[in-house]
Amino acid sequence: MDSQTVSRHAAKPEAPTAGTLKPNALGVVGILFFVLSAQAPLTGIAGAAPIAVALGNGPGVPAAYLVAGLVILLFSVGFVAMGRHVVDAGAFYTYIGKGLGRTTGTGSAGLALFAYCTIQAAMYGLYGAIVSGLVASHTGLDLPWWVWTLATMAVVQALGAAGVEMGAKVLAVFVLAEFSILAVFALVTLFKGGGPEGLGLADSFSPSAALGGAPGVAVMFAVASMFGFEATAIYGEEAREPKKTVPRATYLAVVVVTGFFALVSWMLISSYGASKATAAAGKALEGGDGAGFVFAPIAADFGGWVGDVLPVLLATSLFAGILTFHNSANRYLFSLGRDRLLPIRLCRLNRRHAPWTAGCVQTVLAVLLVVPFALAGKDPVLTLFSWFSGVAVLAMMLLYLLTSVSVVVFFRRARLDARLWNTLIAPALGALGIAGAIWLILANFTTLIGGERTTALWLTLSVPVVMALGLVAARVRGRTVAPADG
């Protein structure tokens, strides 16, 4: 089996109605905006950084971002190597199927859909709560959070159907806005020499700082903040020169996100002073306003108007992430339909070559995940957002691990790439790092979801249950994830 056969396996002559996604629609920058919006940088900083500082290793949190980035970078080496030979909107499940067999690949497809749909539903919960509060404070119109959430689902569905180029343009505006304000704050703080205790380089990046407190908690939240970078491969079919565009976008995304989170978190800690940052983060969390730990020093530098702008940017940050995960999930559904693992009707495209039916199904799944919380009157932040974001991160990390192992197996068998670093050493090191991250997540899962142990147990069990159901479905279906490898 040659690489051309592998990379073009999706275009099956026996399924002419399946179609293909619009080629040459995205360049490196377009894909990068999808990835950065999935990371929702303002959400990651405002949501994760205060908890990581208060409960993790305090001023050593920036080092945790570097460790997480290194692990993801090692994973990316094998991920990119596989992507040069397998181009498919199903990304993870296709990659895993190539190395670990069709049954495992199909099982992982269910897990990938579960991860993308739950993280999107989690973001809908936080988004609805934020927008409801913003509208009420500025207009006096006090509507339940789920009204804004359901209305936004319709907008997301429309943007998804408008085509990948339109989605990239919308995301570019939102991502640039949130990136700009955080980046300007970080750079201003850096160039003026930090806060009351200076830059505190050693306080944040020395080995003693990195290992102080509870570093496992900090690394866990840092890894969670990286969620979504793998979307580069999902858009391979729609990329210009995917064998060049996808690797560049992947590496650029990992480096940019790692550097961004490390720098911004470092400057946040510096703005308070390393000796006072942990207490400040804890006080913000106790007051029920963790984001205030991030917003306060930015407002102090730029003026009170920032306090009005940042909540709006937080809402648009979430919207960008929601749209990205909608696109990721509907491309998984599209690919599963094309491979005959789900009804082939999911492959139907509209005039803009966007996966219309798959997009509608994804929106219905979002409704089914969100509405029960609304009907039960649950707090959308403490339950929907906290629970589903935690379980999605755990599911995605398991997919990373399976993909790393699959890369090693695939290249040992296929011999399409002789580079040991790219096909063996880096993927193996990445797998070890990801396994360690999974252990940290499991050990601290109750903290991650902000819930009770019983809730944490049920949510944790949902991940292997979904994987097991996928494996059973694969055996019952008796279909292949990809053509036989000869």
Side-chain angles (χ1 to χ4, degrees):
M1 178 193 67
D2 58 28
S3 60
Q4 184 178 6
T5 300
V6 176
S7 65
R8 298 302 304 162
H9 80 268
K12 296 182 179 182
E14 69 271 21
T17 59
T20 57
L21 297 169
K22 187 175 182 179
N24 302 314
L26 293 172
V28 173
V29 175
I31 295 175
L32 183 62
F33 278 122
F34 274 106
V35 174
L36 296 182
S37 61
Q39 252 104 44
L42 183 55
T43 305
I45 288 291
I51 304 174
V53 172
L55 303 180
N57 55 351
V61 164
Y65 281 111
L66 292 183
V67 171
L70 177 60
V71 171
I72 298 300
L73 191 61
L74 288 170
F75 167 83
S76 298
V77 173
F79 186 68
V80 164
M82 178 73 94
R84 294 183 185 277
H85 302 281
V86 182
V87 178
D88 189 272
F92 274 138
Y93 92 84
T94 311
Y95 290 10
I96 293 169
K98 286 294 175 185
L100 302 183
R102 62 184 183 271
T103 301
T104 305
T106 305
S108 69
L111 194 60
L113 273 174
F114 180 67
Y116 285 128
C117 289
T118 50
I119 192 62
Q120 188 203 41
M123 293 176 118
Y124 269 128
L126 182 56
Y127 171 87
I130 290 173
V131 172
S132 177
L134 284 172
V135 174
S137 64
H138 289 289
T139 70
L141 180 62
D142 190 7
L143 294 176
W145 64 272
W146 51 266
V147 172
W148 302 108
T149 294
L150 293 176
T152 301
M153 287 181 184
V155 175
V156 168
Q157 171 64 28
L159 284 174
V164 71
E165 304 104 313
M166 178 61 71
K169 292 174 182 176
V170 172
L171 295 177
V173 175
F174 292 152
V175 170
L176 284 174
E178 60 181 300
F179 248 78
S180 296
I181 196 165
L182 290 174
V184 169
F185 160 75
L187 292 174
V188 167
T189 306
L190 177 66
F191 288 125
K192 75 178 184 181
E197 299 174 12
L199 290 175
L201 181 64
D203 293 319
S204 289
F205 294 103
S206 67
S208 59
L211 297 174
V217 174
V219 172
M220 174 187 67
F221 279 100
V223 169
S225 299
M226 302 284 178
F227 192 114
F229 83 95
E230 73 290 334
T232 53
I234 293 175
Y235 298 101
E237 288 185 42
E238 297 158 280
R240 292 189 288 272
E241 297 185 89
K243 291 185 179 181
K244 294 180 180 179
T245 303
V246 171
R248 290 171 183 171
T250 302
Y251 288 132
L252 186 59
V254 174
V255 171
V256 168
V257 169
T258 300
F260 178 83
F261 278 121
L263 176 62
V264 173
S265 62
W266 177 29
M267 290 302 100
L268 276 172
I269 290 165
S270 176
S271 68
Y272 284 96
S275 64
K276 299 181 178 65
T278 303
K283 184 177 179 180
L285 291 174
E286 289 175 6
D289 182 24
F293 173 75
V294 176
F295 293 173
I298 300 177
D301 277 353
F302 301 142
W305 63 271
V306 174
D308 295 325
V309 172
L310 283 173
V312 175
L313 288 180
L314 183 56
T316 59
S317 172
L318 286 162
F319 179 84
I322 287 167
L323 178 57
T324 295
F325 288 118
H326 171 80
N327 284 325
S328 296
N330 69 29
R331 277 154 180 77
Y332 260 87
L333 289 166
F334 170 87
S335 186
L336 287 166
R338 185 170 57 187
D339 285 341
R340 305 298 182 90
L341 296 167
L342 289 177
I344 199 169
R345 290 189 296 276
L346 290 170
C347 302
R348 289 178 180 170
L349 304 173
N350 61 17
R351 293 179 180 179
R352 294 181 177 270
H353 282 259
W356 166 253
T357 305
C360 291
V361 170
Q362 199 287 314
T363 299
V364 170
L365 290 174
V367 172
L368 292 176
L369 288 172
V370 168
V371 166
F373 287 85
L375 292 176
K378 295 291 186 180
D379 186 293
V381 178
L382 298 180
T383 57
L384 180 56
F385 175 71
S386 298
W387 296 359
F388 278 1
S389 57
V391 78
V393 169
L394 181 58
M396 189 57 67
M397 293 307 295
L398 179 55
L399 284 169
Y400 290 172
L401 180 61
L402 290 172
T403 301
S404 291
V405 174
S406 180
V407 167
V408 174
V409 174
F410 174 78
F411 284 110
R412 300 285 68 74
R413 185 177 65 227
R415 303 293 179 183
L416 294 171
D417 193 329
R419 298 173 298 171
L420 286 178
W421 169 256
N422 296 70
T423 63
L424 177 61
I425 299 173
L429 291 174
L432 290 174
I434 290 165
I438 291 174
W439 180 82
L440 290 174
I441 290 171
L442 290 173
N444 299 281
F445 196 71
T446 303
T447 301
L448 180 61
I449 67 165
E452 300 177 351
R453 288 189 177 184
T454 303
T455 302
L457 176 61
W458 283 110
L459 290 173
T460 301
L461 290 175
S462 70
V463 175
V465 166
V466 169
M467 183 71 185
L469 290 174
L471 294 173
V472 171
R475 291 189 176 278
V476 171
R477 187 80 173 175
R479 302 289 187 182
T480 58
V481 172
D485 291 337

